[in-house]
Amino acid sequence: MSLALDSAAQDLLFREAQTANTFTDEPVTDEQVQAIYDLVKFGPTAFNQSPLRITLVRTPEARQRLVNHAMGANGPKTLTAPLTAILSVDLDFHEKLPELFPHAPGIKDTFFAEAAVREVAGTQNATLQAGYFIVGVRAAGLAAGPMTGFDFTGIDKEFFGDGKQKSFLVLNIGKPGPDAFFPRSPRLTFDDAVSTV
């Protein structure tokens, strides 16, 4: 069975897309980021909670503050990317549920009154949204360089001092530069990854 998406789009989003490690200096505009967000915001989350928050790191001062929390090669990569985003979960996402899930306005207090419950649910769903965001970056003809090699506790103190956001991913965004990609690593086969019960 063939997919509804044409082969070129499949290549752009998945088969030929890879994590970028170098970038050109071509800027990534706010208009591009808004177009990406306006597409990927339609990806599903539980109760439409939409807990992902995206902090665009543009100024040299903010970028240096971020790089101070990087591990290994992630610092130099981040300093040379045209745009970097901190992806975090809004731990108070439930406050927007009456607007986002209007047919069940009481769900905010019924399911998400406890902070620990919000953190688990929010993290699961923000991580899901991060995947959509990466695919959206690719749909814009840009490359994404997602990284977890950062001190996220340090990032949270540095950028989200109020404790209401918890970061979990740093994402470099731009046009790939020279030697941007490592050789593609193997993937699991269908039979290794999929089972039927």
Side-chain angles (χ1 to χ4, degrees):
M1 176 180 173
S2 63
L3 300 175
L5 202 62
D6 70 40
S7 184
Q10 294 172 40
D11 287 344
L12 178 70
L13 299 179
F14 295 101
R15 285 192 292 254
E16 293 180 6
Q18 290 184 253
T19 295
N21 294 287
T22 69
F23 297 88
T24 70
D25 58 4
E26 183 178 331
V28 177
T29 67
D30 288 340
E31 291 77 17
Q32 286 174 297
V33 177
Q34 182 163 353
I36 292 164
Y37 181 77
D38 286 343
L39 175 66
V40 304
K41 69 183 180 184
F42 293 107
T45 56
F47 302 110
N48 198 33
Q49 61 188 247
S50 307
L52 180 68
R53 301 296 177 264
I54 302 161
T55 303
L56 302 179
V57 182
R58 287 203 180 274
T59 68
E61 181 269 336
R63 189 172 300 258
Q64 188 57 58
R65 288 168 52 212
L66 176 60
V67 165
N68 289 341
H69 303 285
M71 298 176 190
N74 290 338
K77 285 192 284 191
T78 300
L79 285 173
T80 59
L83 179 64
T84 301
I86 302 169
L87 276 55
S88 60
V89 56
D90 179 356
L91 298 175
D92 284 341
F93 69 84
H94 67 308
E95 297 294 346
K96 295 193 178 293
L97 284 177
E99 172 190 346
L100 295 174
F101 209 65
H103 52 284
I107 205 164
K108 162 182 162 323
D109 300 313
T110 306
F111 284 2
F112 299 111
E114 294 181 24
V117 172
R118 290 197 305 274
E119 183 169 349
V120 171
T123 300
Q124 290 171 338
N125 286 277
T127 302
L128 183 62
Q129 287 185 282
Y132 303 146
F133 190 71
I134 290 168
V135 173
V137 167
R138 293 171 172 182
L142 300 169
M147 300 169 288
T148 57
F150 280 77
D151 171 12
F152 287 105
T153 301
I155 289 174
D156 293 345
K157 289 177 183 173
E158 186 81 37
F159 290 90
F160 314 122
D162 62 4
K164 295 187 186 248
Q165 284 180 238
K166 188 171 182 179
S167 60
F168 63 91
L169 190 70
V170 173
L171 185 68
N172 288 329
I173 303 169
K175 292 284 188 182
D179 302 315
F181 307 117
F182 298 140
R184 187 181 285 285
S185 298
R187 298 299 196 267
L188 293 176
T189 66
F190 178 87
D191 290 335
D192 287 334
V194 180
S195 60
T196 303
V197 295

